[in-house]
Amino acid sequence: MDMSRRALLKVIVLGDIGVGKTSLMNQYVYKKFSQQYKSTIGADFVTKELQIDDKLVTLQIWDTAGQERFQSLGSAFYRGADCCVLVYDVNIQKSFETLNNWHEEFVKQAADPADPGAFPFILFGNKIDVDGGSSRVVSEKKAREWCASRGDIPYFETSAKEGYNVHEAFLCVAKMALEGEHEHEQEHEQEHDIYFQGISETVSEVEQRGGCAC
Amino acid sequence: MVKKKVPDWLNSSLWSSSSTTTTTSFSYSDTNHFDHHSSTSASPPIDPPLPPAATRDEQQHPPRHHHNYHPRKPDIKEDKHSKSSIVNDNISNNNSNNSISNNKIDNRKADNTESSAEDISNQALLLTELSRKVINMGELRRIASQGIPDGVGIRSTVWKLLLGYLPPDRSLWSSELAKKRSQYKRFKEELLMNPSEITRRLEKMMGFDNDDAKSESRYVLSRSKITHGEHPLSLGKSSIWNKFFQDSEIIEQIDRDVKRTHPDMHFFSGDSSFAKSNQEALRNILIVFAKLNPGIRYVQGMNEILAPLFYVFKNDPDEEMEACAEADTFFCFVELLSGFRDHFCQQLDNSVVGIRSTITRLSHLLKEHDEELWRHLEVTTKVNPQFYSFRWITLLLTQEFNFADSIHIWDTLLSDPEGPQETLLRVCCAMLILVRRRLLAGDFTSILKLLQNYPPTNISHLLYVANKLRGQPSH
């Protein structure tokens, strides 16, 4: 098999209870929405195949439990992740405030301790459809500020219910994870002096736009 | 490579297909047949429920081919979409289902180790055991582990006995139940604020407490009892308001999960007043439990463990039992969880009693009985058992099968004299062994997908395999 044309990428979805992690994943993979998803216990696992340029990519998405009790069990799921999706509910202030905890916890448990800032995160602000946006409490500006303070994390506003921006957001996830994987490969092949060149132009484009290149 | 040879029985063709072996009865009897006798003949309040007329008739001639014992499902079971049609929660709805499967009673049954005669007499044996003055628990466990027939309220009584809620001495039942039920009533009075109280407090908190004319007692309370430390804006730990805010967060979580408990079953879900009152009962139990157990409080998924207990007790044909289902369920829930409590406690995750240790025991059990499969999962494909068995174990398999099947598995779990956990691990191990061919042929992704969405399975067969793993490693 030509490894350069296929990639298996591991993505972890984190965020508070009820922000819509399972819904986002189901909307993306199955194009379905339900008001009634059961609470996720442990972590659920789905895959989605997509093609990026000439490369066939399999996203392995781990939908984790939101309750704090399950966090200490996270490390087993986090290991080997290529991208971490943080999700909050734009209508619930607390779910935005706890992003710091989720971010820290993930970095602590999974990121490369030598360079924790390099790990690709992405933020989704979900449920923007609720009450036509009138019950929203976290502004887009606030969210983008937070992203900027965490090393220019790409940000997407989504509605899992209406399928709004979900596909686009996950496509960005896939691209970021793929970039990260390039780095891994090169890291293996050529040692660290090449490492920084490994961060490709695409990534800097992303940063300039404050969003994702997709 | 593989040190131990796989025992022949593991590779038997029996395991690879969901062959129709003995299916222990799981027929929902027609509700019309229930005689609500025991509520009227009150004095020893709980007579063991008598079987409906048809069943009684059956008992006289047990060994012949019998009609009341339909194997729950013959061959290939329904996929998950059709689960509502099986469980469909109103007992009577299930008759049609069973009569279909009735036609397919498999003759191969006779070849199997369990005889159908034994199967048939299960209900009679249970009823005999339940009618003794002092119930022989060993005997009850032995019979119940083979499966408890549906309908006629047997399961409700047997589970209460197995969980130690009812004492074996039947003469103590009425006083014991009265004591426990009034205890629960006190818990509720002390620990549950009614919604209007919550609203009142919230209003007051939000500064709407000017309108104090309506109730004098309210006026007195709000004006004279609030000390400085109890002021709503006080953030001191001692503040009742601080506690109130914490509580309301838990209650919010409980509400959210109760509403999404078995959304496919009318018993639990929907707008009927019946479903609403059942949800209210689940909610009360979980809140009382959370407040009485501050070290654990509420952990997501507890609603799923509670649901089968409440469903079974609430469907007891005995009116008194049905009416007191909430209180009875509370104590049985506490009892059941006491064996698994440590799985819900984050502080114990890495201890010998915590969930990780239990998962490791499952892994050892698999290695002991099927090293080839163990090696493929954990060494070759690197499937960490936590990825699939965390939910299996913490939620006692309630999410992996349809509701009726889970209840059937619980009959066996609860009957085990060693406690449910040992049986649970054997059943989990058997689940792996039953799909071993597909697992051995699979990679990480396909294995995990299979185990996270376990295929419909003949439950009696699964339990049979699990029982074979009892204390006999494969050397």
Side-chain angles (χ1 to χ4, degrees), chain A:
Chain A
M1 195 184 351
D2 178 4
M3 286 304 288
S4 69
R5 303 221 164 263
R6 282 187 75 88
L8 182 67
L9 302 171
K10 181 171 175 179
V11 177
I12 310 289
V13 185
L14 299 179
D16 273 8
I17 298 177
V19 297
K21 298 180 293 296
T22 304
S23 297
L24 282 162
M25 208 180 71
N26 279 301
Q27 179 61 257
Y28 178 54
V29 177
Y30 305 111
K31 298 192 167 51
K32 281 191 315 195
F33 178 80
S34 158
Q35 301 277 6
Q36 299 281 19
Y37 289 120
K38 283 174 178 283
S39 48
T40 307
I41 307 300
D44 288 342
F45 171 86
V46 294
T47 55
K48 167 98 174 174
E49 299 223 330
L50 64 164
Q51 193 168 345
I52 295 178
D53 303 328
D54 60 342
K55 193 149 186 167
L56 192 59
V57 172
T58 304
L59 279 189
Q60 198 185 77
I61 309 173
W62 291 80
D63 169 28
T64 63
Q67 198 179 27
E68 203 188 332
R69 181 261 169 277
F70 298 106
Q71 274 187 48
S72 69
L73 297 157
S75 59
F77 301 111
Y78 300 172
R79 214 165 286 141
D82 296 295
C83 180
C84 176
V85 178
L86 299 169
V87 185
Y88 79 100
D89 176 345
V90 298
N91 308 288
I92 296 178
Q93 182 68 29
K94 187 162 176 287
S95 72
F96 180 68
E97 286 163 8
T98 50
L99 288 174
N100 285 325
N101 302 349
W102 288 112
H103 185 271
E104 266 172 43
E105 193 64 24
F106 185 88
V107 167
K108 206 165 74 189
Q109 296 199 36
D112 176 8
D115 191 6
F119 191 87
F121 282 93
I122 185 169
L123 179 65
F124 293 6
N126 193 34
K127 303 200 189 180
I128 58 162
D129 58 278
V130 174
D131 294 339
S134 57
S135 61
R136 176 166 188 152
V137 294
V138 181
S139 68
E140 184 173 346
K141 184 165 168 279
K142 271 252 182 274
R144 290 204 182 275
E145 278 168 15
W146 186 84
C147 289
S149 77
R150 299 278 154 173
D152 283 328
I153 294 175
Y155 176 62
F156 283 84
E157 304 230 312
T158 56
S159 161
K161 187 178 180 181
E162 292 173 359
Y164 172 76
N165 227 5
V166 174
H167 191 82
E168 292 79 355
F170 273 104
L171 188 61
C172 180
V173 169
K175 289 187 174 177
M176 286 171 67
L178 203 53
E179 290 300 331
E181 214 207 25
H182 279 310
E183 288 165 30
H184 287 313
E185 281 167 14
Q186 296 189 0
E187 202 177 349
H188 278 297
E189 285 165 16
Q190 298 161 350
E191 291 306 320
H192 283 275
D193 54 327
I194 315 282
Y195 180 69
F196 289 103
Q197 292 170 25
I199 300 174
S200 70
E201 284 157 35
T202 336
V203 174
S204 41
E205 267 175 40
V206 170
E207 284 167 357
Q208 280 160 21
R209 293 175 42 185
C212 188
C214 30

Side-chain angles (χ1 to χ4, degrees), chain B residues 205-386:
Chain B
M205 193 178 72
M206 306 289 271
F208 296 126
D209 60 343
N210 300 331
D211 177 22
D212 52 21
K214 282 180 196 149
S215 152
E216 212 182 325
S217 59
R218 197 184 105 187
Y219 175 78
V220 172
L221 261 180
S222 58
R223 285 289 178 264
S224 61
K225 296 244 172 132
I226 293 183
T227 64
H228 185 66
E230 300 294 7
H231 190 276
L233 297 178
S234 157
L235 292 172
K237 281 270 183 220
S238 66
S239 162
I240 53 166
W241 290 100
N242 189 304
K243 189 160 168 8
F244 174 71
F245 290 135
Q246 283 180 4
D247 285 350
S248 56
E249 197 178 312
I250 296 175
I251 291 169
E252 208 176 286
Q253 281 180 21
I254 290 174
D255 277 339
R256 201 198 312 254
D257 286 346
V258 162
K259 280 192 200 115
R260 45 186 186 171
T261 305
H262 295 289
D264 53 339
M265 290 174 69
H266 297 306
F267 182 88
F268 292 109
S269 180
D271 295 327
S272 69
S273 60
F274 177 59
K276 292 269 178 249
S277 78
N278 290 335
Q279 287 187 358
E280 185 67 24
L282 297 183
R283 179 181 187 273
N284 290 341
I285 294 168
L286 291 169
I287 295 173
V288 170
F289 180 88
K291 292 197 177 189
L292 289 175
N293 295 276
I296 298 178
R297 304 208 295 182
Y298 171 70
V299 175
Q300 285 198 307
M302 283 181 175
N303 58 319
E304 305 290 356
I305 296 183
L306 185 58
L309 291 174
F310 184 67
Y311 178 87
V312 166
F313 297 164
K314 189 70 184 173
N315 281 305
D316 194 315
D318 180 304
E319 278 172 17
E320 186 198 323
M321 289 304 223
E322 190 252 74
C324 296
E326 184 183 321
D328 296 349
T329 304
F330 171 77
F331 289 101
C332 289
F333 177 67
V334 171
E335 193 53 47
L336 178 60
L337 230 57
S338 71
F340 294 99
R341 180 197 307 266
D342 300 335
H343 292 164
F344 289 95
C345 185
Q346 191 169 343
Q347 284 74 33
L348 296 175
D349 279 347
N350 295 315
S351 77
V352 287
V353 290
I355 181 66
R356 283 215 175 110
S357 149
T358 307
I359 290 172
T360 305
R361 285 172 56 213
L362 171 62
S363 169
H364 288 331
L365 193 65
L366 178 65
K367 189 179 181 190
E368 189 183 332
H369 288 282
D370 192 345
E371 186 163 347
E372 183 190 3
L373 180 57
W374 174 85
R375 189 171 300 281
H376 181 72
L377 291 179
E378 294 190 27
V379 182
T380 314
T381 58
K382 303 228 164 20
V383 174
N384 179 336
Q386 189 182 318

